[in-house]
Amino acid sequence: MPEGDTVWNTARVLHRALAGARITSSDFRVPQLATTDLTGWTVRESASRGKHLLLRLSAPDETPWTLHSHLRMDGAWRAYAPGERWNGRPAYLIRVVLRSPGAVAVGYHLHEMALVPTAEEDRLVGHLGPDLLGPDWDAAEAVRRLGDHPEQTIGEALLDQRNLAGVGNLYKCEVLFLRGVSPWTPVDAVPDLPGMVTLAQRLLAANRGRWTQSSTGSLHRGQTSYVYGRRAQPCRRCGTAIRKEELGERVTYWCPVCQPERPGPPAPG
């Protein structure tokens, strides 16, 4: 599943392939953009905002526009050389094709696609919290936003992109394990929110620029995570079997010994 670092990497791939190039043809295969033609437009840059990808363009009259897409669970962009076989995904999943003299960018199974004036990007991403890999990263603001929902479980709060943008299920599980916090702990019972937020940012930053995500420091197959994807396998710290359960709309992995449940604060009165 794409997380903030994966989207950052994807944006970099597209930037290298297209930045500064003039689009020679475009093919949109989504109803809302089916008649859009970007021929003659110039790609200014490719950027990410949390899990959102922003391809910034200039129209022939130099008006700045942004092509927005969200990868969600299964979306992807691939860049190919002209004439190279497209082998990223089945053809029926293609949502957009952008051709330039030096590269072809193909978007597979993209979601929430929109073309908006760059000045209006906030309509699409303005609700997001600080981006863990962005120039606007603000740990104190992320902590403040998490604290605005004290009764929410920390597992759900970390996935809420309005609090901090970029954490997905993998990093949620790994950060909570490393901090020794149960996913079901209420936010206001978490001992050190600033420490947790700082660790999340460090993990994503450490994996930026590579496609293999690791929280253990190892890039070897089967050794990249402490708990994520390791149901019933022994905890790397204590040997207890890792558990997997649903939390909200997502599954979560945790060690019941290393991450004991903590009671919430007593009810007032």
Side-chain angles (χ1 to χ4, degrees):
M1 180 195 69
E3 306 215 9
D5 54 342
T6 303
V7 182
W8 188 95
N9 290 341
T10 300
R12 188 170 70 160
V13 167
L14 289 181
H15 187 84
R16 287 175 171 173
L18 297 176
R22 190 174 298 275
I23 297 174
T24 56
S25 71
S26 64
D27 177 12
F28 287 93
R29 305 179 187 181
V30 292
Q32 66 271 27
L33 296 174
T35 60
T36 300
D37 183 5
L38 301 183
T39 301
W41 292 41
T42 300
V43 178
R44 295 185 290 120
E45 65 175 333
S46 175
S48 62
R49 183 79 170 81
K51 299 183 181 183
H52 299 249
L53 196 140
L54 306 168
L55 194 63
R56 297 185 176 120
L57 314 163
S58 289
D61 63 0
E62 298 189 358
T63 303
W65 289 78
T66 297
L67 178 62
H68 164 272
S69 60
H70 196 299
L71 303 188
R72 287 195 191 172
M73 297 283 289
D74 46 10
W77 279 92
R78 297 287 187 269
Y80 303 101
E84 182 181 358
R85 181 181 178 185
W86 303 352
N87 55 7
R89 300 283 177 87
Y92 69 86
L93 292 178
I94 294 174
R95 299 294 180 262
V96 59
V97 179
L98 302 176
R99 298 179 184 272
S100 73
V104 181
V106 182
Y108 297 91
H109 216 173
L110 303 176
H111 304 269
E112 301 176 26
M113 293 195 70
L115 182 66
V116 300
T118 298
E120 297 180 18
E121 277 184 8
D122 272 2
R123 286 201 292 113
L124 304 174
V125 297
H127 64 287
L128 298 174
D131 183 350
L132 287 107
L133 297 180
D136 71 327
W137 171 242
D138 184 337
E141 175 62 13
V143 170
R144 185 194 69 76
R145 291 185 180 222
L146 287 167
D148 283 345
H149 307 281
E151 297 179 358
Q152 189 176 29
T153 68
I154 187 61
E156 294 173 298
L158 287 175
L159 291 179
D160 189 335
Q161 302 299 295
R162 295 169 296 183
N163 294 329
L164 62 171
V167 171
N169 212 30
L170 183 155
Y171 287 114
K172 174 206 76 176
C173 295
E174 296 296 286
V175 166
L176 291 175
F177 173 80
L178 289 167
R179 298 297 299 180
V181 175
S182 166
W184 286 270
T185 303
V187 169
D188 60 355
V190 174
D192 182 10
L193 273 179
M196 181 169 293
V197 163
T198 297
L199 177 60
Q201 196 277 333
R202 286 178 178 171
L203 281 181
L204 265 77
N207 285 306
R208 182 173 49 191
R210 67 188 183 201
W211 298 103
T212 299
Q213 296 163 311
S214 174
S215 57
T216 63
S218 173
L219 299 180
H220 295 293
R221 185 179 180 87
Q223 299 178 19
T224 57
S225 68
Y226 287 102
V227 292
Y228 185 80
R230 300 188 65 242
R231 183 180 67 85
Q233 296 182 47
C235 173
R236 300 190 191 281
R237 283 182 174 170
C238 72
T240 303
I242 299 300
R243 294 186 184 178
K244 172 187 174 183
E245 286 188 27
E246 291 188 4
L247 173 60
E249 299 180 353
R250 305 288 286 280
V251 298
T252 194
Y253 298 85
W254 88 105
C255 173
V257 172
C258 294
Q259 298 169 260
E261 290 195 45
R262 294 181 174 89

